[in-house]
């Protein structure tokens, strides 16, 4: 291997932990900065919510996690882990295949303990500035603020890997008339329990996994729940098996008397608008003089969603892709970054990487996709994984992983209310067992 590199990893969630392990295994010197008091990122439940329920007040105290007490994983535990480190069932925990969130936190803690990662982490330490020193590519100052300390810490690293996640800074729906709409607004980031919505008429904007789960939880106490989706095929439709959940096609406009009008011609007087509209990539600490920007939720330019060509390989991002299995994405991206930092894999030169990024943007444009979809991998996840695998020399992922994720998607579309509990464990145990026989 090449020389050991001194690397700052920012964040101790799934991405930061796996990256730290890979860097350490390769003999690099690693410091992980984590602003929270414990590891786990999204999976560290925090009962607090932010002072501004829609998250637009820049002075609010940031609460990292959006978890709510009853949240269960939307994928089976067999794919919510690393290929070399499975997610077992434990006697004292939730043994279900789609467990409640505490199990994932337990799994991540176990991973950190087994690879002695905790000693690498500086807890309660928020990175507030990352900037190149004297425009040198491999000299970065990381400025951090440790809770309880009255001065900022500064340290120079050769490389910085950004693993801060992207489910904390709310993105809001653009709704005509919303400035004058008098009801209560909240983003799913600040949802914890359904009780505050007792007896209310709630309009949820967005039809992602959070909206699916929260609408069902809230409907148990609310008078009515109306879910608005971008899907143009949806017309007013009451959900089967639910007395008080309706689907609609997009909110067209809201009015000063609380009326919410949908594009399918229907309307309701609502008490609450609930934004289930996802999150923004947000790197307030990163100062690159305009080299890396976030425009319409596209972080760029990034070669293969990881390296900014002009700063590679000394600055990288892990975990940016969406609509992809996060554990496998993180696994492959981290291995690639570490191979590159160790000198085992060479990147193309800056110009070639930029050409690749521009070609990618061009392809998106040709398909009529807006910029904000830049990091959505679906349906090209397999192609991306294969490419990373070739770079890192990793063997292909077992076929059952792909099949399991596909089946999960089919089941959840067919019967969202039951897909987690009707999962055929013995069938899948058999498939996995057969695949592991040499
Ligand atoms: P995170 O988990 O967000 O970790 C980032 C870490 O960086 C945090 O610990 C944070 O404190 C730290 N940090 C941020 N800024 C700084 C800073 N300036 N200085 C120091 N530290 C900083 N995925 C699934 O596969 N299955 C699921 O069922 C699933 N459910 C989800 C449910 C919800 C409600 C949400 C929000 C996400 C869910 N996800 C799910 C996706 C989830 O984001 C990923 O599984 C994964 O946790 C992402 O890991 P990460 O390390 O990239 O980011």
């Amino acid at each position: 291997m090449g020389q050991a590199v001194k690397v700052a990893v920012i964040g101790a969630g799934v991405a930061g932990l796996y990256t730290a392990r890979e860097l350490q295994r390769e003999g690099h010197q690693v410091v992980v900065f984590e602003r929270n008091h414990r590891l786990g990122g999204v999976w560290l439940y925090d009962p607090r919510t932010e002072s501004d329920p829609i998250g637009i007040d820049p002075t609010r105290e940031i609460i990292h996690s959006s978890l709510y007490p009853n949240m269960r994983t939307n994928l089976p535990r067999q794919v919510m882990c690393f290929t070399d480190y499975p997610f077992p069932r434990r006697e004292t925990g939730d043994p279900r295949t789609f467990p409640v969130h505490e199990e994932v936190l337990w799994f991540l803690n176990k991973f950190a303990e087994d690879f002695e990662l905790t000693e690498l982490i500086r807890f309660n330490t928020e990175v507030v500035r990352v900037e190149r020193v004297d425009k040198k590519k491999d000299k970065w100052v990381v400025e951090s603020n440790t809770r309880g300390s009255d001065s900022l810490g500064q340290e120079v690293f050769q490389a910085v890997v950004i693993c801060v996640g992207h489910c904390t800074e709310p993105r809001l729906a653009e709704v005509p008339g919303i400035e004058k709409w008098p009801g209560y607004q909240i983003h799913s980031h600040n949802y914890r329990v359904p009780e505050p919505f007792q007896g209310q008429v709630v309009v949820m904007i967005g039809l992602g996994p959070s909206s699916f789960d929260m609408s069902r939880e809230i409907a148990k106490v609310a008078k009515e729940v109306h879910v608005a989706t971008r899907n143009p095929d949806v017309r007013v439709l009451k959900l089967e098996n639910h007395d008080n959940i309706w689907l609609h096609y997009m909110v067209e406009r809201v009015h000063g008397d609380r009326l919410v009008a949908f594009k399918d011609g229907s309307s309701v007087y609502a008490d609450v608008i609930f934004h289930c509209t996802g999150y923004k990539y947000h790197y307030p600490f990163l100062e690159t003089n305009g080299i890396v920007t976030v425009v319409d939720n596209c972080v760029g330019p990034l070669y293969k969603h990881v390296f900014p060509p002009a700063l590679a390989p000394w600055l990288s991002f892990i975990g940016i892709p969406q609509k992809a299995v996060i554990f496998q994405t993180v696994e492959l991206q981290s291995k690639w970054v570490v191979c590159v930092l160790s000198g085992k894999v060479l990147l193309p030169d800056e110009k070639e990487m930029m050409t690749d990024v521009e070609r990618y943007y061009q392809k998106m444009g040709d398909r009529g996709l807006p910029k904000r979809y830049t990091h959505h991998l679906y349906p090209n996840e397999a192609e991306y994984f294969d490419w990373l695998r070739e770079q890192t020399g990793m063997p292909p992922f077992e076929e059952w992983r792909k099949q399991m994720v596909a089946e999960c998607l089919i089941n959840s579309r067919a019967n969202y209310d039951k897909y987690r509990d009707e999962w055929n464990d013995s069938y899948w145990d058999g498939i996995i067992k057969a695949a592991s026989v040499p």
Side-chain angles (χ1 to χ4, degrees), residues 271-287:
D271 301 298
V272 180
I273 288 184
F274 205 108
H275 298 259
C276 282
T277 35
Y279 296 88
K280 295 186 218 164
Y281 294 98
H282 190 56
Y283 309 102
F285 52 82
L286 186 59
E287 293 180 15

Side-chain angles (χ1 to χ4, degrees), residues 114-276:
D114 285 354
F115 295 103
E116 298 176 357
L117 303 176
T118 315
E119 32 280 59
L120 306 177
I121 307 173
R122 293 192 192 153
F123 288 105
N124 293 311
T125 303
E126 176 171 12
V127 170
V128 292
R129 184 168 69 95
V130 169
E131 192 171 10
R132 281 194 295 171
V133 180
D134 303 330
K135 294 210 169 159
K136 287 199 177 71
K137 276 195 180 178
D138 63 345
K139 223 173 174 200
W140 293 81
V141 65
V142 173
E143 197 166 83
S144 60
N145 187 0
T146 301
R147 201 166 300 151
S149 154
D150 45 18
S151 60
L152 295 178
Q154 270 197 9
E155 198 166 335
V156 173
F157 292 84
Q158 277 168 284
V160 177
V161 188
I162 298 180
C163 302
V164 296
H166 48 78
C167 294
T168 295
E169 189 72 15
R171 193 148 60 93
L172 299 179
E174 281 171 26
V175 179
I178 197 80
E179 335 55 63
K180 296 210 174 118
W181 191 74
Y184 179 70
Q185 290 184 64
I186 179 170
H187 186 276
S188 57
H189 182 59
N190 288 306
Y191 171 76
R192 296 294 179 271
V193 288
E195 282 71 23
F197 306 101
Q198 181 82 39
Q200 307 218 306
V201 176
V202 178
V203 168
M204 300 188 102
I205 304 180
L207 193 60
S210 301
S211 156
F212 266 100
D213 285 337
M214 291 173 192
S215 57
R216 280 145 177 87
E217 228 180 71
I218 290 173
K220 288 187 186 139
V221 301
K223 188 171 169 211
E224 294 169 13
V225 175
H226 298 267
V227 182
T229 158
R230 274 180 205 273
N231 183 344
D233 300 332
V234 169
R235 291 292 172 270
V236 200
L237 168 81
K238 192 176 83 57
L239 285 196
E240 271 178 43
N241 308 326
H242 294 275
D243 294 335
N244 58 349
I245 308 182
W246 284 264
L247 280 187
H248 300 260
Y249 175 44
M250 281 173 79
V251 173
E252 183 171 58
R253 153 165 288 283
V254 295
H255 299 266
D257 57 357
R258 289 184 186 243
L259 190 77
V260 175
F262 299 96
K263 285 196 176 169
D264 56 22
S266 60
S267 57
V268 291
Y269 287 96
D271 301 298
V272 180
I273 288 184
F274 205 108
H275 298 259
C276 282

Side-chain angles (χ1 to χ4, degrees), residues 29-73:
Q29 195 188 330
V30 192
V31 175
V32 182
F33 292 88
E34 172 51 60
R35 71 177 167 197
N36 227 323
H37 63 295
R38 283 177 65 193
L39 59 81
V42 157
W43 299 99
L44 180 61
Y45 171 69
D46 191 333
R48 297 173 303 157
T49 53
E50 293 178 356
S51 51
D52 174 3
I54 53 172
I56 52 176
D57 175 1
T59 65
R60 73 197 190 280
E61 187 193 350
I62 304 291
I63 306 293
H64 187 79
S65 181
S66 324
L67 289 188
Y68 42 97
N70 291 330
M71 193 249 156
R72 286 173 70 185
T73 65

